[in-house]
Amino acid sequence: MKPAIDFYFDFSSPYSYIASEWIGAVAARHGRTVNWRAILLGATFQVSGLRPPAEFPMKREYLFRDVARSAAFAGVPLRMPEPFPIPTQNAARVFWWLKAQDPAQAVAWARAGLRAYFARGVNLSDAVALKALCAEAGLDAEAAEAAWNDPQWKLALKQANEQAIAAGVFGAPFVVVDGEPFWGNDRQAQIEAWLTAGPPRGLE
Amino acid sequence: MKPAIDFYFDFSSPYSYIASEWIGAVAARHGRTVNWRAILLGATFQVSGLRPPAEFPMKREYLFRDVARSAAFAGVPLRMPEPFPIPTQNAARVFWWLKAQDPAQAVAWARAGLRAYFARGVNLSDAVALKALCAEAGLDAEAAEAAWNDPQWKLALKQANEQAIAAGVFGAPFVVVDGEPFWGNDRQAQIEAWLTAGPPRGLE
């Protein structure tokens, strides 16, 4: 059994959304599973000293165009939501709450949350909208709300952020294959090549 | 005759070097020429508010690994030079001096300069090393040195930076195809797709 691929994502990251639509298939093609890990980029930005790309007007304009093009290129339905970005700690806490019970259900929630925000504009930072999305996803919405207000799952997310930072994660999506870090939706081809043939010559 | 592709690069940008090795072939496959444009990322960083990725320790560590992997993946010989990054205004002024006389010679110089720095560690910010490289590239080294000290070519580079910023350039390599901006060596596949079939559905 080959080790799982780590997949770090933030519910407010459009490139994470695009990658979330292919990471499972890529892993499966190579006999791997995916260890999904919801994080908050806000936490990694604080430690790395980086700032969200959308805060820089020139980069923000490009980002919107590139996200739309990258989604179309990957065949993923996407409509940049307003507002963007949004705080996503509640959606992330629901993820970790679910993962402790049933990792497959956590993955289903991750995909549902990313799709809802980036394909339909569902504002995951709005408690009412988030509860409605939980119900739509077949979860107990009251229990989900209790979980995102529960110190236990707040702590679980905090620890997930700390683990990510310790692993060198400074952006999302961030994929780690057998210790090798890949940052960005645009590293799909390199991830595939690595899974197929291992390190390229000179990088063993 | 289809319009040329704009290719903005900085002599100190490793991803520009990797892209410089494929941009000509990609353009030629689609009946296009390439309009090479040497710029200084220092100038675009100042206006965009961005900072060099290598200034952030977490990103710097990743950058070195990713550059080596991306070069290997593209089949381009690369050894990260020390020091890195370096000021490259002199190499860039030589580029614009040559371009005014003979654009093909300027391209040859761009490729020679990028290869010298990133494959052999030739420090382009060192006047002696740069003159030796000019001679090796078949240029009149004395005339090249005179050019990089000449207010005319200082101004030409300044204007090139301003033109780039006005065109939305905030990083390198930066490729513009019929008005569509592509940032990064990692956009090769999207550039190819755009050149082949134009905008993807929904982005016309």
Side-chain angles (χ1 to χ4, degrees):
Chain A
M1 185 73 187
K2 290 175 189 165
I5 295 171
D6 285 317
F7 177 70
Y8 297 88
F9 68 98
D10 182 313
F11 278 97
S12 189
S13 153
Y15 296 114
S16 290
Y17 164 56
I18 301 171
S20 76
E21 293 282 320
W22 56 254
I23 189 70
V26 166
R29 272 203 285 282
H30 299 277
R32 304 276 192 138
T33 55
V34 179
N35 184 18
W36 292 58
R37 306 189 67 89
I39 59 162
L40 298 181
L41 284 176
T44 69
F45 286 146
Q46 217 163 12
V47 172
S48 65
L50 294 160
R51 283 164 54 198
E55 281 187 12
F56 301 89
M58 287 178 82
K59 216 168 178 178
R60 182 180 175 92
E61 192 184 333
Y62 176 80
L63 175 80
F64 276 63
R65 198 153 177 166
D66 185 64
V67 161
R69 191 176 61 217
S70 297
F73 192 66
V76 170
L78 181 145
R79 196 185 61 200
M80 273 306 279
E82 278 294 339
F84 169 82
I86 53 169
T88 57
Q89 66 272 27
N90 289 346
R93 289 171 189 153
V94 170
F95 171 87
W96 288 105
W97 166 64
L98 291 170
K99 193 169 182 183
Q101 306 163 48
D102 177 358
Q105 207 177 19
V107 173
W109 166 247
R111 299 195 61 180
L114 287 161
R115 279 184 181 167
Y117 183 45
F118 287 107
R120 292 190 280 137
V122 175
N123 184 341
L124 307 181
S125 70
D126 177 79
V128 175
L130 190 60
K131 280 178 75 174
L133 185 67
C134 287
E136 185 189 311
L139 305 176
D140 178 336
E142 295 299 327
E145 185 179 33
W148 81 58
N149 286 315
D150 186 331
Q152 180 184 356
W153 305 112
K154 291 183 180 180
L155 180 63
L157 175 57
K158 193 167 169 284
Q159 288 173 335
N161 292 333
E162 286 163 1
Q163 184 277 330
I165 290 160
V169 174
F170 57 83
F174 204 99
V175 173
V176 181
V177 180
D178 304 338
E180 184 72 9
F182 298 87
W183 170 45
N185 171 62
D186 39 37
R187 288 297 175 274
Q188 182 183 353
Q190 291 195 21
I191 291 168
E192 291 258 17
W194 194 281
L195 287 168
T196 303
R201 221 151 35 135
L203 271 83
E204 298 86 354
Chain B
M1 186 71 188
K2 290 174 188 166
I5 294 170
D6 286 317
F7 178 69
Y8 297 88
F9 68 98
D10 181 313
F11 278 98
S12 189
S13 153
Y15 296 114
S16 290
Y17 163 57
I18 301 171
S20 76
E21 293 282 321
W22 55 255
I23 189 69
V26 166
R29 273 203 285 282
H30 298 278
R32 304 277 191 136
T33 55
V34 179
N35 184 18
W36 292 58
R37 306 189 66 91
I39 59 162
L40 298 182
L41 284 176
T44 69
F45 286 145
Q46 217 162 13
V47 172
S48 65
L50 294 161
R51 284 164 54 199
E55 281 187 12
F56 302 89
M58 287 179 80
K59 216 168 177 177
R60 183 181 175 93
E61 192 184 332
Y62 176 81
L63 175 81
F64 276 64
R65 197 153 178 168
D66 186 63
V67 162
R69 191 176 60 216
S70 297
F73 192 68
V76 170
L78 181 144
R79 195 184 61 198
M80 273 306 280
E82 277 296 338
F84 169 81
I86 52 170
T88 57
Q89 66 271 25
N90 289 346
R93 288 172 190 152
V94 170
F95 172 87
W96 288 105
W97 166 64
L98 291 171
K99 194 169 180 184
Q101 307 163 47
D102 176 357
Q105 207 177 20
V107 173
W109 166 248
R111 300 195 61 178
L114 287 162
R115 280 184 181 167
Y117 182 45
F118 286 108
R120 292 190 281 138
V122 175
N123 185 341
L124 307 181
S125 71
D126 177 80
V128 174
L130 191 60
K131 279 178 76 174
L133 185 67
C134 286
E136 185 189 311
L139 304 176
D140 178 337
E142 296 299 327
E145 184 179 34
W148 80 57
N149 286 314
D150 186 330
Q152 180 185 355
W153 304 112
K154 292 183 180 181
L155 179 63
L157 175 57
K158 192 168 169 284
Q159 288 173 336
N161 292 333
E162 286 163 1
Q163 184 277 331
I165 290 160
V169 174
F170 57 84
F174 205 98
V175 173
V176 181
V177 180
D178 304 338
E180 184 71 10
F182 298 86
W183 171 46
N185 172 62
D186 39 37
R187 288 297 175 274
Q188 182 183 354
Q190 291 195 22
I191 291 168
E192 290 258 17
W194 193 282
L195 287 168
T196 303
R201 222 151 35 134
L203 271 82
E204 295 86 353

